[in-house]
Amino acid sequence: MTLQETWQSPIAPGLSFYQATVGPRPSYPKLDGSRKADVAIIGGGYTGLQAAYNLAKGSAEVVLIDANRFGDGASGRNGGQLGTGQRWWPEEMEEKIGYERSKALFDVAEDAKHFLLDFASDHGIDIDFLPGQMNVTHKRSYKRDYMDNAEIAATRYGYPHMKFMDEAETQERLGSSFYLYGVRDMGTGHIHPLKLLIGLARVAADAGAALFEMTKAKGFRQSSGKTVIETDGGEITADRVLIACNGYIGNLEPVTASHVMPIRSFIGATEPLDRFPRVLPGNEAVADSRFVVRYFRKSKDGRLLFGGREAYTSDNPRDITQHIRRQIAEIYPVLEDIKIDYAWGGSVGITVPRQPFVRVVMPGVTSIGGYSGHGVMLSNYCGKLYAKTVLGNADELHLFKELNIPAFPGGARVRAPLLFLALSWFALRDRF
């Protein structure tokens, strides 16, 4: 393992606040020669590395590769919010799939939250955890929904940590009059995602997993009951394969590519807000009710980390700060001239129903991804559950495998333009 002081990812624009604050970042070698393994993993984010750690701990021979550096994808560049439950509120899930399955998925998400925090604590990984998250709305018509959400979580889902906030409390806790109502959740919080990623890679390597960066998977073939992965550094022959590429699947595997779509999201980190103590005085994270979500929080050193974008394409804007500054000023006019020290972006893997995609895509090959902006907890836990399944302990992934995740319409050529039109429409609708 070597140390590199600086790194500009070829797949994600900008220098992130996270990268700037982790110090020298460990690097891992490129694959050089053919390998055999019980399990081969493609993707060095939370899902892949967590699976690698748990498999290696269970005495499986594991080889993991990533086309870039660990953390270059969403796992190392995301908003850092843990959330509660699945992407949809539990009562929304209940309408779609019934109470029993909705409650089971809610409980899995709670298990995922506790697993992540316990994992970091047990392995001495300082993830800069800060408690609290607020879900807020700018629409008066949503008041009853938010009141019901807190009550349903407590009475039907056994989760007493959410409290409805009226207009005065919402605006006091935000330090802004932009939003009207909200739910404050003190059973969750937010983290420094790259610190978790770096610690996870270290733990996986220490457990015996063979980890390789800068090693691109070029294709698959199946031979004599095994899967052979062709890479630019040699072939890997494995009994089982986990595809954990999420929004960076590209053209590697067509079933995953048709179900998991990458969209670009961007985050800016301001200078520390020492002069603005009214902004998020309780240090909670925030996500709003827009379909095109705005999400923001304060870092441990007091910066505002603000994420979101009004329209989605695969391209990078010339000036990320321009988009972020406009949205910050809309919510916090007092910050219209605040200095933005860091601005970065990356791809988020989404599915049509905004629920995870977990599927056996060919014999012995499982693909997991599509967390749709709710993946910090779920990706880590799905990696653990995959390992648990392979090791023969249980198949708790069946809750996700049973979800109805349709392919994006239109095929490879038109699904991206259709998604752009759809999300642009929702962004317009969010304004009214």
Side-chain angles (χ1 to χ4, degrees):
M1 194 186 307
T2 61
L3 297 179
Q4 294 184 7
E5 296 291 341
T6 60
W7 169 253
Q8 175 57 60
S9 169
I11 61 171
L15 173 65
S16 76
F17 163 76
Y18 306 133
Q19 184 173 324
T21 53
V22 294
R25 183 173 159 195
S27 63
Y28 295 81
K30 176 183 172 68
L31 180 67
D32 184 15
S34 295
R35 289 264 185 155
K36 293 183 179 180
D38 297 320
V39 184
I41 300 171
I42 305 171
Y46 292 147
T47 305
L49 286 168
Q50 197 64 251
Y53 162 69
N54 282 278
L55 286 163
K57 187 177 68 169
S59 300
E61 187 172 354
V62 183
V63 175
L64 180 149
I65 61 172
D66 194 287
N68 295 280
R69 294 191 67 195
F70 303 150
D72 278 4
S75 293
R77 301 173 71 85
N78 62 73
Q81 299 193 31
L82 301 187
T84 290
Q86 302 290 327
R87 176 64 173 77
W88 299 104
W89 284 357
E91 56 267 38
E92 295 175 306
M93 292 284 288
E94 192 172 326
E95 288 181 5
K96 298 173 186 295
I97 62 176
Y99 173 76
E100 184 176 343
R101 291 178 66 199
S102 177
K103 178 66 163 62
L105 285 164
F106 185 89
D107 290 345
V108 164
E110 276 302 286
D111 290 343
K113 184 192 300 178
H114 295 302
F115 168 73
L116 185 155
L117 296 175
D118 289 345
F119 177 85
S121 176
D122 292 345
H123 294 283
I125 306 171
D126 180 7
I127 57 176
D128 290 357
F129 176 77
L130 290 172
Q133 183 191 46
M134 298 186 287
N135 290 296
V136 297
T137 182
H138 63 300
K139 293 187 177 184
R140 292 194 180 276
S141 60
Y142 287 179
K143 181 178 181 179
R144 174 49 60 184
D145 293 336
Y146 276 66
M147 294 176 71
D148 290 347
N149 176 239
E151 182 179 354
I152 290 169
T155 59
R156 289 183 61 77
Y157 287 82
Y159 189 80
H161 308 294
M162 292 181 178
K163 303 297 181 185
F164 173 74
M165 300 186 297
D166 62 16
E167 189 168 351
E169 183 179 359
T170 298
Q171 296 179 2
E172 178 66 24
R173 291 195 183 280
L174 286 172
S176 166
S177 60
F178 186 79
Y179 294 103
L180 301 172
Y181 311 109
V183 171
R184 183 170 182 247
D185 181 356
M186 293 306 293
T188 189
H190 49 105
I191 69 168
H192 189 303
L194 188 55
K195 286 187 176 181
L196 174 62
L197 187 286
I198 290 172
L200 173 55
R202 169 181 57 80
V203 170
D206 289 346
L211 308 182
F212 299 98
E213 295 180 319
M214 309 307 292
T215 303
K216 183 178 178 61
K218 299 165 67 176
F220 303 89
R221 70 177 188 272
Q222 297 199 300
S223 175
S224 302
K226 297 181 183 291
T227 300
V228 181
I229 305 172
E230 301 169 6
T231 83
D232 55 5
E235 292 186 343
I236 305 169
T237 303
D239 297 323
R240 294 175 182 257
V241 172
L242 171 62
I243 299 172
C245 302
N246 201 20
Y248 294 90
I249 186 64
N251 297 317
L252 177 64
E253 196 285 306
V255 176
T256 307
S258 67
H259 289 78
V260 179
M261 175 77 72
I263 61 174
R264 284 303 214 189
S265 188
F266 300 92
I267 305 177
T270 70
E271 62 183 308
L273 301 183
D274 301 335
R275 295 179 291 123
F276 305 98
R278 290 193 63 247
V279 175
L280 295 176
N283 293 324
E284 301 96 338
V286 182
D288 74 9
S289 60
R290 295 168 182 263
F291 187 89
V292 183
V293 177
R294 294 179 182 180
Y295 52 96
F296 49 99
R297 64 190 183 94
K298 280 167 76 174
S299 62
K300 213 163 190 180
D301 66 350
R303 302 171 186 271
L304 182 67
L305 275 58
F306 192 102
R309 194 178 175 200
E310 288 297 323
Y312 287 77
T313 70
S314 61
D315 300 325
N316 301 320
R318 293 180 181 177
D319 182 5
I320 297 173
T321 61
Q322 175 185 346
H323 299 273
I324 298 301
R325 186 183 301 281
R326 183 169 59 246
Q327 294 179 40
I328 290 175
E330 188 175 4
I331 298 170
Y332 293 106
V334 70
L335 300 181
E336 64 178 350
D337 296 320
I338 196 74
K339 184 173 182 287
I340 296 179
D341 286 341
Y342 306 96
W344 68 98
S347 289
V348 179
I350 69 167
T351 64
V352 171
R354 300 298 184 95
Q355 295 166 339
F357 173 79
V358 180
R359 186 170 300 181
V360 176
V361 295
M362 63 181 73
V365 180
T366 299
S367 183
I368 305 178
Y371 302 106
S372 303
H374 204 68
V376 177
M377 300 181 315
L378 293 180
S379 59
N380 274 275
Y381 203 55
C382 281
K384 178 200 173 186
L385 294 184
Y386 172 80
K388 196 172 180 181
T389 299
V390 170
L391 295 170
N393 296 324
D395 184 16
E396 295 176 44
L397 278 176
H398 73 89
L399 289 168
F400 296 106
K401 291 176 182 176
E402 292 167 0
L403 292 171
N404 180 24
I405 310 296
F408 281 90
R413 287 189 175 184
V414 301
R415 63 174 177 258
L418 284 175
L419 180 67
F420 169 76
L421 290 173
L423 292 178
S424 295
W425 160 250
F426 280 113
L428 180 63
R429 195 185 72 170
D430 281 339
R431 294 177 179 273
F432 302 99

